[in-house]
Amino acid sequence: MKNFNQKVAAITGAGSGIGRQLAIQLAQQGAHLALSDMNEQGLIETLNLLKDYPVKVSITKLDVANREAVYAWAESCFNEFGQINLIFNNAGVALASTVEGMSYDELEWIFNINFWGVVYGTKAFLPYLKQSGEGHIINTSSLFGLTAQPSQSAYNATKFAVRGFTESLRQELEIENAGVSATSVHPGGIRTNIANSARMSDSIRALGMNPEKASRSFNKVLKTPPEVAAKVILDAVKQDKARVLIGNDAKILDLIQRVTPSHYAKTVDFLTKKLTKKK
């Protein structure tokens, strides 16, 4: 897919952050948009930012953890636009907790959104993408889908799962010569609201972290603007890349993990302690 003009793109998590910037940049390149998010007000704000572009836009309040709702959204998108070329499974949440301190309810909550939401979005839209003759699935994993982090076992598990799911999917699509491709996206620290909206368990005190201050600490490493992340993602789609890393932090930690796969955790532990040390 060398350009997005007159293509139809569906985006989850479009009410803010990377999802919003994807919508803006796709509209600038002539793509029609089906946008969804749990945050209705955020969707309306995104819609208002798109009003000057000559493209068709729909917005839908959507819980990606609800399989029936995702399938219904995919069907309504096809009925409204007549085709779908791209699905950006971008919606996600975060949880900071030790393994011991994490409840099963919390684990199910994050998996339902971060992993199952991606699975539902992929499977619901895939038949329409194949029908278009030129389709692409873009699934947001994370730097934490490449390297493990203390306090992030659940988030790591969901993002490692998204990466494996997407890479296997891409292989299948290539073997089928399906006219559809897939890209796994691995952002590092992107300047979005995910840290502020993350669930923080009191159990992370055992790791020397303060739940009340943790989001503020992690915000310090969110350096890459979401508009930069969106541009990198869209360029990767045009180049049909299997995997895209966003931000120097993602590239550096990925390199460390590749060079010393059995020892990179020591580097991560050092950086975590430096980031969360008490002032």
Side-chain angles (χ1 to χ4, degrees), residues 39-268:
N39 181 354
E40 255 183 319
Q41 184 56 43
L43 277 176
I44 293 170
E45 291 171 3
T46 300
L47 180 63
N48 288 335
L49 292 170
L50 300 170
K51 62 185 179 181
D52 292 332
Y53 300 105
V55 298
K56 185 175 181 179
V57 184
S58 71
I59 59 172
T60 302
K61 182 178 181 180
L62 178 71
D63 178 4
V64 297
N66 184 325
R67 181 169 62 187
E68 290 75 19
V70 173
Y71 272 78
W73 179 53
E75 183 178 10
S76 69
C77 290
F78 179 75
N79 290 339
E80 182 170 1
F81 291 91
Q83 70 180 54
I84 306 168
N85 301 96
L86 303 115
I87 172 64
F88 293 83
N89 291 305
N90 168 72
V93 292
L95 166 68
S97 175
T98 65
V99 172
E100 184 178 18
M102 180 170 46
S103 72
Y104 283 102
D105 285 344
E106 289 172 326
L107 191 57
E108 290 175 2
W109 168 75
I110 196 169
F111 257 91
N112 285 340
I113 297 169
N114 287 9
F115 178 64
W116 284 112
V118 168
V119 173
Y120 299 153
T122 297
K123 288 178 66 63
F125 280 89
L126 183 53
Y128 302 119
L129 300 183
K130 284 186 172 181
Q131 187 173 330
S132 77
E134 189 178 18
H136 208 110
I137 298 164
I138 303 92
N139 291 337
T140 301
S141 176
S142 172
L143 164 60
F144 290 8
L146 300 168
T147 64
Q149 318 287 326
S151 82
Q152 297 296 311
S153 58
Y155 189 77
N156 279 139
T158 64
K159 295 303 186 177
F160 270 76
V162 167
R163 169 188 158 199
F165 174 80
T166 307
E167 292 181 355
S168 178
L169 169 68
R170 181 184 173 98
Q171 293 168 343
E172 293 174 2
L173 294 170
E174 288 178 348
I175 292 170
E176 293 175 16
N177 195 24
V180 180
S181 193
T183 296
S184 181
V185 178
H186 299 270
I190 310 299
R191 208 176 299 150
T192 69
N193 289 324
I194 192 165
N196 295 328
S197 60
R199 292 188 180 183
M200 297 287 176
S201 166
D202 201 58
S203 66
I204 64 174
R205 293 186 189 278
L207 306 176
M209 300 178 186
N210 185 325
E212 290 78 26
K213 298 179 180 179
S215 61
R216 191 160 63 243
S217 296
F218 285 113
N219 271 324
K220 295 176 184 177
V221 298
L222 304 183
K223 302 294 187 182
T224 305
E227 57 269 26
V228 172
K231 184 179 186 306
V232 172
I233 293 168
L234 295 180
D235 287 346
V237 174
K238 291 177 182 177
Q239 297 170 47
D240 192 23
K241 290 186 176 180
R243 180 189 297 182
V244 55
L245 277 69
I246 304 174
N248 289 333
D249 50 351
K251 294 173 184 176
I252 291 169
L253 277 178
D254 178 60
L255 178 61
I256 293 171
Q257 190 277 143
R258 288 172 183 270
V259 173
T260 60
S262 300
H263 301 95
Y264 81 91
K266 292 181 180 179
T267 301
V268 171

